[in-house]
Amino acid sequence: PPSQDLKLIKLRKISRVTLEDSQDIWENVSKKLKSYKRILVIYGQNHPLIDEEREAVESFQKRYNCVFITDHLSNFRNDDTILSFPLLLQCSQETFNNLLYPDLVITVGGRRVSNDPILYKLRGCNKNIEHWRVAEDGLVADPFRRLSVVFECSQKTFFKFFQKNNENLTNDRIYLKAWQSELRKIKESSLPYSQKYAIGQMISNMPKDALLHLAHSNTKRLANMFAFCNHPEVFCNAGTNGIDGSASTFMGHVAVTDQPAFLMIGDLSFFYDMNSIFNKEIKPN
């Protein structure tokens, strides 16, 4: 039956920017980016950056009023990145809406920690927020329900263009300082012996120049509760969102590297895949 309560939903238009587009289109987007004061870059799973890629990303950090939030799978960190998982678990929605909210979200890279609190903080935010997705596959993925532009290009192309195009800009760091201030408020409670305690000890004592493989799900989530003192390269077999294959992937990596190598894995994931440790003679690393 007819209802007076029905309302038409206002549809969002999602634009696409590609390498084939004209310089004018890229210039227009660049002008728009310049106008944002609170840019939140959500940096997902990524390979360790080569020097040219790192230079482009860090130049972007210095020019725009942005905050980069990462997790261990990002394989990118410096003094101006925020390990966001423990911060956002303790931060209330009200605090996020008042102090940490962005006016633009840029997502790059692959997966992040499952049940990542940034997902719910952005969905629950009452501010007007845009989302730009940077992905070579060009697919539409709208987890925050804010998507407005898909950049069909690599993160290297994206950061390189925008850091060169607005060379006269400087990050005023006001937005970054708001996040850093909240990060300092996190209280670390003492833990009894448990899987969380064991993972925290392993993370804080990881040697330099190591590589670390994380099994999926709970292992990955608990690992992201703690910050590294030394920063290893971090990998996770997260392709099928399942528990099997973590040890096999690790053993394959160990076979081709001499770096100190560590696998953090739960009992069920290990039982699924323990035959992988018999495939080759285990190296000293």
Side-chain angles (χ1 to χ4, degrees):
S3 170
Q4 302 303 313
D5 298 328
L6 292 176
K7 294 179 181 177
L8 290 176
I9 297 171
K10 185 178 179 182
L11 298 178
R12 280 183 291 116
K13 180 182 177 182
I14 298 174
S15 305
R16 183 180 299 276
V17 179
T18 72
L19 297 177
E20 285 74 40
D21 284 328
S22 68
Q23 188 72 12
D24 286 345
I25 290 176
W26 282 87
E27 292 290 346
N28 287 337
V29 177
S30 181
K31 287 175 186 173
K32 191 173 184 184
L33 180 63
K34 192 176 178 179
S35 68
Y36 289 110
K37 301 298 182 187
R38 304 169 69 91
I39 302 169
L40 182 64
V41 181
I42 302 177
Y43 206 94
Q45 186 175 12
N46 237 302
H47 58 79
L49 299 181
I50 61 174
D51 290 343
E52 185 185 5
E53 292 171 327
R54 176 174 284 275
E55 184 181 343
V57 173
E58 291 185 338
S59 294
F60 185 96
Q61 283 182 296
K62 290 171 184 172
R63 280 176 175 65
Y64 295 92
N65 297 325
C66 63
V67 171
F68 274 60
I69 62 171
T70 64
D71 62 30
H72 294 328
L73 300 184
S74 304
N75 281 306
F76 171 67
R77 56 194 65 80
N78 58 27
D79 292 341
D80 291 340
T81 58
I82 304 284
L83 182 65
S84 61
F85 190 72
L87 166 59
L88 292 174
L89 279 179
Q90 294 190 31
C91 165
S92 69
Q93 185 69 56
E94 182 182 10
T95 299
F96 185 86
N97 289 356
N98 291 334
L99 298 175
L100 304 183
Y101 72 92
D103 45 24
L104 173 66
V105 172
I106 299 173
T107 52
V108 297
R111 292 166 177 262
R112 281 175 58 85
V113 181
S114 48
N115 296 322
D116 189 347
I118 190 61
L119 178 73
Y120 308 105
K121 292 292 191 288
L122 285 171
R123 284 184 183 178
C125 189
N126 55 9
K127 307 291 184 181
N128 186 26
I129 301 170
E130 268 202 77
H131 171 201
W132 293 1
R133 179 173 191 255
V134 181
E136 288 184 275
D137 59 24
L139 296 177
V140 171
D142 190 15
F144 314 121
R145 301 167 187 166
R146 314 269 188 172
L147 186 64
S148 55
V149 186
V150 175
F151 288 83
E152 194 171 331
C153 65
S154 68
Q155 60 164 330
K156 176 183 170 183
T157 300
F158 180 87
F159 287 121
K160 202 169 182 180
F161 175 82
F162 288 111
Q163 64 91 8
K164 276 188 175 179
N165 215 47
N166 285 316
E167 291 184 328
N168 58 331
L169 291 181
T170 303
N171 186 350
D172 63 21
R173 300 177 69 84
I174 293 173
Y175 188 42
L176 176 61
K177 285 175 182 175
W179 278 80
Q180 290 173 334
S181 174
E182 291 304 309
L183 189 63
R184 286 192 289 271
K185 294 178 186 177
I186 292 180
K187 296 176 182 177
E188 291 187 15
S189 55
S190 58
L191 294 169
Y193 184 75
S194 59
Q195 58 182 335
K196 187 175 180 181
Y197 172 85
I199 286 174
Q201 289 297 307
M202 187 173 173
I203 292 289
S204 61
N205 288 286
M206 193 67 55
K208 258 187 173 181
D209 302 320
L211 63 86
L212 170 65
H213 277 247
L214 299 175
H216 203 52
S217 195
N218 196 45
T219 303
K220 187 171 65 171
R221 277 195 299 275
L222 288 177
N224 274 284
M225 295 293 297
F226 304 94
F228 288 109
C229 294
N230 298 311
H231 298 296
E233 297 176 3
V234 184
F235 301 87
C236 178
N237 183 2
T240 57
N241 206 31
I243 60 171
D244 51 328
S246 303
S248 293
T249 304
F250 173 72
M251 291 304 297
H253 201 161
V254 167
V256 296
T257 183
D258 292 322
Q259 290 174 265
F262 298 85
L263 171 65
M264 194 181 290
I265 189 167
D267 52 0
L268 192 57
S269 296
F270 178 69
F271 292 149
Y272 261 79
D273 204 24
M274 63 185 179
N275 284 352
S276 61
I277 68 174
F278 301 118
N279 286 343
K280 287 180 177 289
E281 185 178 342
I282 296 176
K283 293 166 64 175
N285 61 334

